[in-house]
Amino acid sequence: MGLLQVSVIFLLSLTTMTLAEPPGCKIRITDRGLEMLKTETKRFVEEELSNITMPEMRGEEGRFQYTIKDVKITELNLTSDLRFQPDVGLLFEVQNSSITLNFQRRILYWLFYDEGAINASAEGVNIFTVLHLTKDQEGRLKISNVTCDASIAKMRARFSGTLGRVYDLIGAFLTTGMRFLLNKQICPALNHAALVLVNQLLETIPVRTEVDSYVGIDYSLLSDPVVTETSLDMDFRGMFYNLKNENEVLVNYAMNPIVREYDRMIYLALSEFFFDSGLFSYFKGGLQKQLLLDSFQMPKDLEMLLRTTYLGTIMMLNPALMEHPLSLELEVTSPPRSTIKTSGANVAVSCNVKVLVLPPGKPAVQLSSMTMEGKFNAKVSMKGKRLAIHLDLRRFKIYSNQSALESLALIPLQGPLKTMLQISVVPLINNYIKRGVQIPLPDGIDFIEEVVEYHNGYIIVGANLHFRTGLREIIERKLSADPPQTNTELHSDMTLFYYQTPTQLISALI
């Protein structure tokens, strides 16, 4: 019985592995890429912490009555690090750093009243923040949780004014209260920055979006990201779909791209399925029909050659047809297919070609039907974060669907037909597809210094990353397009504090 159970479990696990959907697109961000993000992340965190608002404090100590207000962070000296946290996400750590503050005091001691500024510095600031990265229900990368721990070793205050020396006597409990208040605000500020602001940035990554009027693309994550000490790996569906019928999609039988490199900041891997799903969706959407209609203009010398080739056929059908113009009708009969090898990528296309006579006011008369097969070299390139392809017709042949003898007669047509495609059809296709498709990266981040490598069944684009603008600017643009949201957790403690003694103050804060 035990052996049977083991066999069933093994078969179920094997079936699950077999049925798992392979990704059409994979992205690896290496520790070199994370290194580039450190400066931007530090700047972003400093901006968030500098916006911390401290509540007004009032209290009494003996004959002292005091009010502390208008607390502002004036300087941050953070020694920070950003690295991968295996199986979780990202770790942002601040060690042995300092924060300088300025606030206004109002003191009443017996009959003496005084007010002025106080400069204080929080020293030994340590922050340990872990961002948990997951896939949400829509297949989008997001920060699902933040683990934060912050501590301040000590705080010093420098008083000015006529009673400066006297204030030193009560400075200990004032700075203790300020230390607890500041420490209490650090993690809520970072939680808000990650769960609200950084997630706004991640929402700029396309998940399921239209490419043009024919197709859309699905970049939903297939699973949670895989995080190691040296990389963050993400598997995306990477599938195009026809906008007229989004459920009519190609099944992914392609191999799973394998990324082994770590030398560059980022790697993008695309399988044959990624390209085949695009070719399939454009075929179903009818783009090839429109492009052939827009581009096809038969040269006079080709028409003359066709008339000579089919002279006998025309005479047998009706000699009067000799006076009427000839036409070629091209129709792509099946979705084109891509093949990727170490030598490069190519696209195979099969068309049905009809030779027609066009008598005015009457239906077209078909003279012949032939099959045309073309093979295009496909050169993949990246610009910014848009992937584009350039096609170059390399192989071309036509043969008759009716007889081998007619196929021999068509040999003289191969050269002129190929030239016609290269001059009129191929440039129009390249002009249409040169706009490319966006890869799943946030706004403001681009590929630079990219290198394309071809493998059997997939391509890998290795590149470095470049920030066109800072994280703050990207997030603010996103927020300006969305309705504002109030973060009650962050602002719930921004109220007036009044405590009779420092013991009450510290007890409440703890």
Side-chain angles (χ1 to χ4, degrees), residues 103-147:
F103 51 92
Q104 297 295 317
R105 70 172 189 272
R106 192 161 58 234
I107 302 292
L108 179 63
Y109 177 66
W110 288 87
L111 299 177
F112 295 97
Y113 174 82
D114 187 49
E115 62 181 10
I118 299 178
N119 293 317
S121 62
E123 300 174 1
V125 178
N126 295 293
I127 306 171
F128 185 88
T129 306
V130 178
L131 309 181
H132 299 250
L133 297 176
T134 59
K135 172 184 78 76
D136 68 8
Q137 293 181 349
E138 296 179 356
R140 186 185 302 277
L141 178 67
K142 71 172 295 184
I143 299 171
S144 61
N145 190 27
V146 177
T147 303

Side-chain angles (χ1 to χ4, degrees), residues 222-492:
L222 298 178
S223 58
D224 289 338
V226 177
V227 187
T228 67
E229 291 183 353
T230 55
S231 67
L232 169 69
D233 290 346
M234 295 172 285
D235 289 354
F236 299 90
R237 179 165 285 117
M239 178 191 71
F240 290 84
Y241 55 89
N242 173 20
L243 293 178
K244 294 179 180 177
N245 186 358
E246 297 187 10
N247 295 322
E248 188 179 23
V249 295
L250 196 65
V251 180
N252 188 355
Y253 295 114
M255 68 178 301
N256 190 343
I258 301 172
V259 183
R260 295 186 175 92
E261 294 85 356
Y262 293 89
D263 295 334
R264 290 179 170 264
M265 294 182 181
I266 189 168
Y267 290 92
L268 169 72
L270 302 169
S271 73
E272 288 178 352
F273 171 76
F274 178 85
F275 300 99
D276 284 343
S277 68
L279 295 168
F280 176 85
S281 300
Y282 276 120
F283 173 80
K284 293 296 184 180
L287 173 63
Q288 74 289 342
K289 294 179 182 177
Q290 188 61 46
L291 288 177
L292 289 174
L293 252 148
D294 293 343
S295 65
F296 191 77
Q297 291 181 352
M298 188 163 59
K300 292 293 184 182
D301 55 348
L302 179 57
E303 183 178 359
M304 182 76 68
L305 186 58
L306 286 172
R307 194 176 297 278
T308 303
T309 303
Y310 291 100
L311 176 63
T313 305
I314 296 174
M315 295 301 294
M316 289 177 61
L317 287 174
N318 184 356
L321 295 175
M322 285 295 296
E323 301 176 0
H324 304 306
L326 299 184
S327 175
L328 286 178
E329 183 181 282
L330 279 70
E331 181 184 10
V332 181
T333 54
S334 60
R337 300 288 293 190
S338 68
T339 303
I340 304 175
K341 296 182 179 180
T342 54
S343 57
N346 59 70
V347 177
V349 182
S350 180
C351 294
N352 182 42
V353 182
K354 294 178 181 178
V355 183
L356 305 171
V357 180
L358 303 177
K362 295 181 181 180
V365 179
Q366 180 174 319
L367 300 179
S368 178
S369 176
M370 66 187 87
T371 297
M372 180 177 70
E373 293 181 353
K375 183 169 285 189
F376 297 82
N377 281 358
K379 182 180 179 182
V380 178
S381 63
M382 286 286 303
K383 186 175 182 180
K385 54 174 167 284
R386 298 193 75 83
L387 181 85
I389 301 173
H390 182 83
L391 298 177
D392 183 20
L393 181 60
R394 286 302 184 190
R395 296 182 184 178
F396 173 84
K397 69 175 182 179
I398 54 173
Y399 55 88
S400 173
N401 297 330
Q402 298 170 1
S403 68
L405 185 62
E406 186 178 6
S407 294
L408 291 173
L410 294 176
I411 292 177
L413 291 175
Q414 293 205 44
L417 277 174
K418 183 178 180 181
T419 301
M420 179 199 69
L421 291 175
Q422 288 175 323
I423 292 175
S424 59
V425 178
V426 177
L428 191 68
I429 295 174
N430 282 329
N431 185 61
Y432 186 84
I433 62 178
K434 72 179 181 181
R435 65 194 73 179
V437 61
Q438 183 179 338
I439 61 171
L441 275 183
D443 286 349
I445 303 176
D446 291 335
F447 273 37
I448 59 171
E449 302 168 352
E450 61 275 354
V451 175
V452 181
E453 295 180 353
Y454 295 86
H455 300 261
N456 289 325
Y458 58 93
I459 68 166
I460 293 180
V461 182
N464 292 323
L465 293 172
H466 170 68
F467 272 98
R468 282 188 285 108
T469 183
L471 291 176
R472 168 69 55 186
E473 290 77 8
I474 301 170
I475 293 170
E476 286 179 351
R477 279 203 304 268
K478 180 68 170 65
L479 288 173
S480 64
D482 294 338
Q485 294 180 354
T486 302
N487 185 16
T488 55
E489 177 185 2
L490 181 63
H491 300 286
S492 59

